[in-house]
Amino acid sequence: MISLHTSPVRRRRLGVATAAAGLLATLLMAGPAAATPDPGDRGEARTGVLAAQQAEAKAAIESGEVPGVDEIVHSSNITHLANVPKDALKGLNTDLAFQGKYAFAGNYDGFRIFDISNPSAPRTVSQVLCPGSQNDISVSGNLLFLSTDSSRSDNSCASTTQPATEKSSWEGMKVFDISDKRNPKYVAAVETACGSHTHTLVPERKNVYVYVSSYSPSATFPDCQPPHDGISVIKVPRNAPEKAAVVNFPVLFPDGGNPGAPDNPGVSKTTGCHDITVLPSKDLAAGACMGDGLLFSIKDPENPKIIDRVQDNVNFAFWHSATFNQTTDKVVFTDELGGGGAATCNEEIGPKRGANGIYDIVGKGDHRKLVFRSYFKIDRPQADTEVCVAHNGSIIPVKGRDLMVQAWYQGGVSVWDFTDSSKPKEIGYFERGPVSTDAVTTAGPWSAYYYNGYIYSNDIAKGFDILKLDDRRTDPAKRVRLDELNVQTQPDYFDR
């Protein structure tokens, strides 16, 4: 049984235990996708933990320091409106995109479309089985884009897993026509070097540019050769998506990027980007690229130009994602310590590792610089059997404030304020208790985004959640309405 209660925001020192454990193109007719064997966003199975850690997790639950197994708790300003469990797609739930009254939810086995016109009772419109981890998803007009970052036998939705060492293997971008939401049609595929772990849209009237982020090359992979020091840029004509093609591979790291260990122990070697966020109205982008954080100009979308680059070789292990504030004078970078497969919200790891890094953008034009201000990490208790990691989030649009909602896997959904770059603070949360007290299990929200007055969360294991946030600090955002939202393509909320 799942119990539900409201509790105040719980505070503590960062740690409940002593150590971290374990670091329808084709409708419903193919097998599950293989998990991506890379450091970021891995689909990990359960990992056993020491008996002492099991005992500590159970003791934390019994003491009330963490919720019980699968117990839902939340701050008083959040209401849980709905949960839609997994259905035909059994893989890990991943990212979200929005258009009108629809939400599009990625899954390692494909994607699902929800009608969210009634947030208290969302309805499934269609489910498309098209395996290929991690199925990062976005939409623009009548087109839906899906990333494939696992080696497949071909580019069809009936493909099977195949080693990356085989030249015939395929990874890259898939494009669907979603003019009929009940019957999406697979219309195009573009193979890209090292696949597509994530992607970012730069939409224009006639074309959609797609920035493809991928990494981890190997001399043994025919289609993913080192050095992999840039991103693939795909041009997709809206009226002829079947003509989509790679038009450039700009080099972002002419010096090779962060070398990682042994020069910088504990830091990922940069071999590409994990995720890029663009703010088209400002011709600006921020890249989270393994060992590096980037700021670059996209005035010419086919030829992005680096403005500044930063590293954090003390506390950041894997630069995972980026979010601008609305006035474009700050960027929040996330650190995916443990690759989405480890319990990192504990005393052993501490409050600065596996956190968000808040950077101010100072200066003008091509002379702008990223200046570090502070870290933010949730300080609510998490058991050592809970995978907890800074993950995908979005701005909550309120003039004069910098507010964000963010997913933390089993750390739940966090609403936080970084108006003062040096003193960020959590102002609301929603989470479930541990899935297990005897194994480290990958679960919890992959993405948590604010869209037209509600928070939508795609829980890796539990399904699609809708939350209502009522707080005087965030309520003005309810008046902001969008026709479409891909969080990695940030809108200008107030100048439209």
Side-chain angles (χ1 to χ4, degrees):
M1 177 181 295
I2 298 176
S3 62
L4 174 65
H5 71 268
T6 301
S7 64
V9 177
R10 297 168 288 133
R11 299 296 179 199
R12 54 123 193 196
R13 70 186 189 283
L14 193 62
V16 298
T18 58
L23 263 185
L24 226 68
T26 302
L27 287 169
L28 312 179
M29 54 180 277
T36 305
D38 290 336
D41 303 331
R42 292 177 295 179
E44 299 244 344
R46 295 188 175 200
T47 304
V49 297
L50 299 175
Q53 293 167 325
Q54 296 179 31
E56 287 165 347
K58 292 174 182 177
I61 291 173
E62 291 173 0
S63 70
E65 192 172 17
V66 301
V69 172
D70 282 344
E71 180 184 13
I72 292 176
V73 297
H74 54 80
S75 53
S76 59
N77 56 358
I78 287 181
T79 304
H80 188 205
L81 296 181
N83 170 263
V84 183
K86 293 180 186 180
D87 188 15
L89 306 178
K90 304 301 184 184
L92 306 183
N93 283 331
T94 59
D95 211 5
L96 294 168
F98 305 89
Q99 187 180 84
K101 67 177 184 178
Y102 298 102
F104 303 82
N107 179 286
Y108 268 58
D109 289 344
F111 64 92
R112 188 174 184 178
I113 302 177
F114 294 99
D115 182 332
I116 55 173
S117 52
N118 180 357
S120 297
R123 298 184 298 106
T124 298
V125 176
S126 59
Q127 299 182 72
V128 177
L129 188 66
C130 195
S133 64
Q134 57 191 17
N135 280 337
D136 193 48
I137 192 168
S138 57
V139 295
S140 184
N142 287 330
L143 300 179
L144 179 147
F145 301 84
L146 206 64
S147 285
T148 299
D149 193 34
S150 56
S151 294
R152 313 297 299 177
S153 56
D154 55 50
N155 64 10
S156 76
C157 285
S159 67
T160 57
T161 58
Q162 184 167 289
T165 53
E166 294 189 23
K167 176 62 180 172
S168 62
S169 294
W170 185 91
E171 300 179 62
M173 288 299 308
K174 294 170 181 169
V175 185
F176 293 77
D177 184 320
I178 52 168
S179 51
D180 180 356
K181 304 295 188 296
R182 296 184 177 276
N183 186 30
K185 298 184 184 301
Y186 185 10
V187 295
V190 180
E191 186 170 15
T192 55
C194 301
S196 174
H197 193 68
T198 66
H199 67 269
T200 306
L201 304 187
V202 184
E204 296 187 339
R205 188 171 63 88
K206 293 183 178 181
N207 304 297
V208 180
Y209 288 96
V210 186
Y211 291 169
V212 176
S213 296
S214 55
Y215 51 92
S216 293
S218 169
T220 66
F221 299 164
D223 298 321
C224 184
Q225 291 283 299
H228 186 69
D229 50 11
I231 59 172
S232 297
V233 179
I234 299 174
K235 184 178 181 180
V236 184
R238 290 188 183 276
N239 293 331
E242 68 279 1
K243 296 181 180 179
V246 174
V247 292
N248 196 10
F249 187 87
V251 172
L252 303 181
F253 307 99
D255 65 352
N258 197 317
D263 293 350
N264 298 316
V267 178
S268 294
K269 174 181 170 62
T270 298
T271 60
C273 287
H274 179 277
D275 211 339
I276 293 169
T277 294
V278 299
L279 216 171
S281 66
K282 308 294 186 183
D283 292 326
L284 204 60
C289 303
M290 304 181 74
D292 294 88
L294 301 181
L295 184 70
F296 52 98
S297 168
I298 57 168
K299 288 182 180 179
D300 178 354
E302 288 190 24
N303 298 281
K305 177 183 177 181
I306 301 300
I307 296 174
D308 195 25
R309 170 180 155 198
V310 290
Q311 297 178 353
D312 180 343
N313 294 318
V314 176
N315 290 311
F316 259 49
F318 187 92
W319 295 66
H320 175 275
S321 54
T323 303
F324 289 105
N325 70 335
Q326 184 54 55
T327 53
T328 329
D329 57 7
K330 299 175 189 174
V331 182
V332 175
F333 287 103
T334 68
D335 176 21
E336 195 186 40
L337 177 68
T344 66
C345 297
N346 53 40
E347 193 172 17
E348 173 77 8
I349 300 301
K352 294 182 178 180
R353 298 176 61 215
N356 294 323
I358 302 167
Y359 286 74
D360 284 352
I361 303 174
V362 299
K364 295 182 179 180
D366 290 350
H367 299 290
R368 284 172 285 190
K369 297 292 182 182
L370 293 166
V371 179
F372 173 78
R373 293 303 185 201
S374 66
Y375 298 104
F376 171 76
K377 187 174 183 178
I378 60 171
D379 62 355
R380 287 172 283 110
Q382 303 301 319
D384 269 3
T385 58
E386 293 184 279
V387 169
C388 177
V389 66
H391 223 246
N392 297 347
S394 76
I395 290 296
I396 299 175
V398 175
K399 285 186 176 181
R401 287 184 179 271
D402 294 324
L403 303 167
M404 187 170 174
V405 59
Q406 185 178 8
W408 286 80
Y409 277 29
Q410 288 188 77
V413 173
S414 176
V415 179
W416 60 289
D417 186 329
F418 63 104
T419 305
D420 183 339
S421 302
S422 299
K423 296 180 180 179
K425 59 183 179 180
E426 184 172 76
I427 62 173
Y429 72 91
F430 169 90
E431 68 168 287
R432 291 177 170 89
V435 172
S436 168
T437 58
D438 59 10
V440 177
T441 307
T442 299
W446 178 290
S447 299
Y449 298 147
Y450 190 93
Y451 175 69
N452 289 354
Y454 298 90
I455 294 171
Y456 297 88
S457 169
N458 211 16
D459 189 291
I460 294 167
K462 299 298 182 180
F464 182 62
D465 288 305
I466 302 180
L467 312 175
K468 185 179 180 184
L469 175 63
D470 293 298
D471 190 292
R472 61 177 177 77
R473 294 163 290 191
T474 61
D475 284 348
K478 295 177 182 179
R479 297 192 292 268
V480 178
R481 312 298 291 183
L482 299 176
D483 297 324
E484 191 172 272
L485 178 64
N486 301 293
V487 167
Q488 287 74 33
T489 306
Q490 281 190 228
D492 189 325
Y493 289 98
F494 304 116
D495 185 21
R496 292 178 297 114

